[in-house]
């Protein structure tokens, strides 16, 4: 293992309840688990709860090889994301915060604990913590405001963006942020810098913007046999992209691996991909 292949994922632990099934969720631990399966050292900075589900979740992360030293147990109950099918056979989700975002925003940050991570990814990270992390680390940052930005524009912090190498949005999130800050193209966000802006587009794949090209790199979505659930698909894509970034793969290869992982994710329930699948992907493409 190369010493620089360490990435810290900052965000929430969540209990997903998908079609009545309890699953380990939350973008940060899901991304970290998938990245670890691809052979990259990954840790999580988050808050957990004192209940049985949370403790079993932490034990599962340890079993997968994810570093949990920066997960603090401060909550009585984890946040919950409840996904159900609607009458028209689509899915709808309900978020129950249980104090998770405020507890994470108040995380007592030790800058010394960040030194082992040359890469840090902030996912749906509360604004206060995101700003403190950006101001206190020399690590390479990647950043995504996540779905909360649709309702609270403070979840996109321009100062954090300025210090980040890579930015992730889905189409809806990008539309919201671009309206808030008044840009008409992702290239305006990049503004001639070396930043990367990635916009995921579901079945339409993903677009990757850099200052080197006037048009985005367009990556097709990988084919699937059966659609089961979309939960975690974006996290799976970012897992592959970030692992490829840490490993030094070129842009098309990062996005290609991410698209394969997203396709695999939507053919199962839950966002953490099977270890055997990830090992096979690693041997074939990384």
């Amino acid at each position: 293992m190369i010493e620089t292949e360490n990435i810290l994922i900052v965000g929430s632990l969540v209990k997903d309840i998908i079609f009545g099934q309890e699953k380990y969720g939350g973008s940060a631990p899901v991304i970290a688990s998938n990245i670890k399966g691809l052979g990259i050292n990954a840790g999580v900075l988050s808050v957990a709860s004192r209940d049985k589900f949370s403790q079993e979740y932490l034990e599962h992360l340890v079993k997968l090889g994810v570093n949990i030293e920066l997960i603090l147990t401060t909550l009585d109950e984890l946040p919950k994301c409840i996904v159900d099918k609607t009458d028209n056979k689509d899915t709808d989700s309900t978020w129950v915060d249980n104090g998770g975002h405020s507890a994470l925003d108040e995380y007592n940050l030790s800058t010394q604990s960040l030194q082992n991570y040359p890469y840090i990814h902030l996912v749906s990270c509360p604004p206060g913590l995101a700003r403190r992390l950006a101001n206190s680390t020399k690590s390479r940052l990647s950043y995504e405001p996540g779905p909360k930005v649709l309702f609270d524009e403070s979840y996109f912090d321009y100062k954090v963006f300025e210090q980040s190498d890579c930015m992730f949005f889905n189409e809806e999130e990008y539309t919201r942020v671009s309206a808030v800050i008044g840009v008409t193209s992702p290239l305006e966000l990049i503004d001639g810098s070396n930043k990367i802006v990635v916009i995921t587009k579901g079945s339409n794949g993903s677009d990757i913007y850099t200052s080197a090209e006037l048009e985005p790199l367009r990556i097709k979505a990988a084919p699937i046999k059966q659609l089961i659930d979309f939960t975690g698909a974006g996290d799976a894509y970012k897992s592959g992209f970030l692992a490829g970034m840490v490993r030094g793969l070129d842009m098309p290869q990062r996005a290609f691996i991410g698209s394969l992982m997203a396709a695999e994710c939507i053919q199962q329930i839950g966002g953490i991909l099977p270890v055997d699948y990830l090992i096979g992907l690693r041997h074939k493409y990384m």
Side-chain angles (χ1 to χ4, degrees), residues 1 4-13 26-37 39-47 58 61-62 64-72 107 113-114 116-123 133 142 239 242 246:
M1 181 65 63
T4 56
E5 289 189 345
N6 296 327
I7 184 167
L8 180 67
I9 316 296
V10 182
S12 297
L13 267 74
S27 292
V30 166
I31 291 172
S33 298
N34 291 336
I35 286 176
K36 180 61 180 176
I40 307 294
N41 285 330
V44 175
L45 187 155
S46 190
V47 292
L58 295 180
L61 292 174
V62 170
L64 293 176
V66 175
N67 189 313
I68 65 167
E69 292 179 355
L70 298 181
I71 300 178
L72 303 180
Y107 189 101
S113 63
L114 305 177
N116 293 328
Y117 293 100
Y119 298 88
I120 298 177
H121 179 63
L122 311 179
V123 49
L133 275 161
S142 53
S239 302
L242 290 168
V246 173

Side-chain angles (χ1 to χ4, degrees), residues 38 168 196 198 206 208 217-220 222 236-262 277 280-286:
L38 292 174
F168 294 92
I196 303 163
V198 181
S206 59
I208 302 169
L217 171 65
R218 300 189 187 278
I219 303 296
K220 293 182 179 180
Y237 176 94
K238 284 166 278 194
S239 302
F241 193 98
L242 290 168
M245 179 185 73
V246 173
R247 185 56 57 87
L249 303 182
D250 63 25
M251 207 77 68
Q253 189 75 350
R254 300 178 200 177
F256 173 71
I257 294 171
S259 69
L260 292 177
M261 293 173 67
Y277 169 78
L281 204 64
R282 179 176 79 206
H283 289 329
K284 190 170 184 179
Y285 296 112
M286 300 184 69

Side-chain angles (χ1 to χ4, degrees), residues 177-240:
V177 168
S178 62
V180 168
I181 62 177
V183 299
T184 59
S185 164
L187 292 175
E188 292 181 50
L189 272 175
I190 295 170
D191 194 25
S193 69
N194 291 325
K195 296 184 187 300
I196 303 163
V197 172
V198 181
I199 301 177
T200 56
K201 304 170 68 178
S203 61
N204 291 320
S206 59
D207 290 348
I208 302 169
Y209 293 82
T210 68
S211 61
E213 301 291 341
L214 295 177
E215 296 294 331
L217 171 65
R218 300 189 187 278
I219 303 296
K220 293 182 179 180
I224 63 170
K225 294 181 180 179
Q226 181 183 17
L227 169 61
I228 295 178
D229 177 49
F230 287 109
T231 305
D235 295 329
Y237 176 94
K238 284 166 278 194
S239 302

Side-chain angles (χ1 to χ4, degrees), residues 100-120:
H101 274 272
S102 60
L104 189 55
D105 210 18
E106 295 165 3
Y107 189 101
N108 187 14
L109 187 64
S110 167
T111 56
Q112 185 175 1
S113 63
L114 305 177
Q115 293 179 357
N116 293 328
Y117 293 100
Y119 298 88
I120 298 177

